[in-house]
Every structure is written in structure tokens, then in C-alpha cells.
Amino acid sequence: MSGLFVRRGAPASNLQEILAGARACRWDQTGAGGDQHAFTIALNSLLGTRLKPIAGYPGTQEIMLAIERGELDGIVGYSWGVARAATGMILRRGRLKIVMQLGLQKHKELPDVPMLDEFVTKQQDRLVLDMIFSRQAMGRPLVAPPGLDPRLGTALREAFAEAMRDPQLIAEGAKMDLELGIRVWR
């Protein structure tokens, strides 16, 4: 699950102001076609926000630095797991806050942060949201080529599942405050 985050001191400082679209806010974007671009367009089109994408940032670290300097007003499509682990201090100090969850399922750690779909009423718009955000359920997918020997596919799935149950991996992930999980699709 990712989110819409806004920095303290932005022209629109909370979700109501962002949804009202009264003030254009400068939002991150690494480039056309990326998640941040697609999410920004979806929010502007479906909810009437006025997020102004500023393209050209090579990655999240540069975006976060631009937010700290006040060049950008927020970040869209930032993974909650990454935000919590990588920018936890900024979140705890209130310099950046998540105002909306972007995804198909509410995150258990954010029960009071509204989901995007709470603001979309048309069935056609909900289908657009499903299409855009359904891939987030996969996180970082691992795939194999077509025609793979089924025995090898089974062995790879079992090995990956075993690794995800490894106590050392789980302990290291917990130290880093990472969310670890596995889902198998066939």
C-alpha cells in the first residue's frame, strides 16, 4: 500500500484542502509513465485535485530532499513500509504526514487514514482504481519465463517460501522495520 504524503507548510496542508483543489501543490514525479505520474493523474482526474507534477527527480531520495527544502509539497505513491522504515523520523516529527492511502486494502497500521476509494462514487472510476492499484498487492513480484518445467517452478516457489520463513531473515527484516510477506499466484 502506498500513500499520499504532504509536508508541513505546504499550501494545502491536509486532505480536505487537497481534495478541494483550491491550491495547486507541487508534487513529485520521477518521469512520465511511472507510478507517481499515473497516481497523480488518477487523483487529479477522479477527485479533482490540483497536484502539479514536477518531473525529473531521479528517485525517492532526491524527492525527499526536495520536500525537506520546500521545493515539493508532497510525495504520491510512496510505499508506507518504505516511508515508515526510511523516513520514520520525519514522520514522527510531523514534517511529513500521510493523508490518504492509495491501494485496494487499508493498511492495518493506518486505520484512521482514509482510502482513496472512499472518495470515488462512480463504478467506472472504481474500475480505473482497481486497474491502477491492483499491482500493488504484488509488491515486488518474481516471475519465471513461459514454458518453465513445472517441477522447477514448484522447487522455486518452495525455496522462496522457505526463505521467507527463515528466522534470520525475519529477524533482520524486523530490525529494519520491513514488511515481509509472500503470496503465490499461478
Side-chain angles (χ1 to χ4, degrees):
M1 186 284 309
S2 65
L4 175 66
F5 293 78
V6 65
R7 73 170 170 84
R8 181 173 44 205
S13 61
N14 59 51
L15 184 56
Q16 290 71 31
E17 291 176 358
I18 293 168
L19 291 174
R23 298 182 178 124
C25 292
R26 300 161 300 170
W27 240 256
D28 70 293
Q29 186 175 325
T30 51
D35 282 351
Q36 295 152 336
H37 182 239
F39 296 172
T40 300
I41 289 171
L43 290 170
N44 286 345
S45 298
L46 299 175
L47 301 181
T49 60
R50 292 183 56 211
L51 306 179
K52 179 181 176 188
I54 307 296
Y57 291 94
T60 304
Q61 295 304 321
E62 294 82 4
I63 290 168
M64 295 309 296
L65 185 58
I67 289 170
E68 285 283 317
R69 291 191 300 239
E71 293 172 19
L72 294 173
D73 298 314
I75 182 169
V76 64
Y78 193 28
S79 162
W80 172 247
V82 173
R84 187 188 65 223
T87 55
M89 186 61 71
I90 295 170
L91 292 168
R92 284 188 293 281
R93 290 184 178 164
R95 295 193 328 242
L96 187 69
K97 64 183 173 186
I98 183 169
V99 295
M100 183 188 297
Q101 295 183 54
L102 306 175
L104 301 179
Q105 284 188 312
K106 196 171 251 246
H107 196 285
K108 62 185 176 194
E109 294 175 7
L110 302 167
D112 299 326
V113 178
M115 292 286 298
L116 170 60
D117 71 348
E118 294 173 31
F119 303 96
V120 176
T121 56
K122 296 179 188 170
Q123 181 60 25
Q124 181 178 349
D125 293 347
R126 287 185 179 278
L127 292 173
V128 170
L129 293 180
D130 286 349
M131 181 188 73
I132 292 171
F133 294 106
S134 62
R135 65 166 209 74
Q136 287 190 60
M138 291 185 269
R140 303 276 189 229
L142 299 173
V143 296
L148 183 73
D149 183 321
R151 294 171 297 181
L152 182 55
T154 299
L156 288 170
R157 279 190 294 279
E158 288 172 0
F160 187 77
E162 186 177 327
M164 294 300 291
R165 289 188 296 267
D166 178 68
Q168 266 186 297
L169 176 70
I170 293 167
E172 190 66 26
K175 276 196 317 193
M176 298 170 65
D177 200 17
L178 296 178
E179 294 178 292
L180 299 176
I182 183 171
R183 286 192 190 139
V184 177
W185 284 281
R186 295 178 192 219

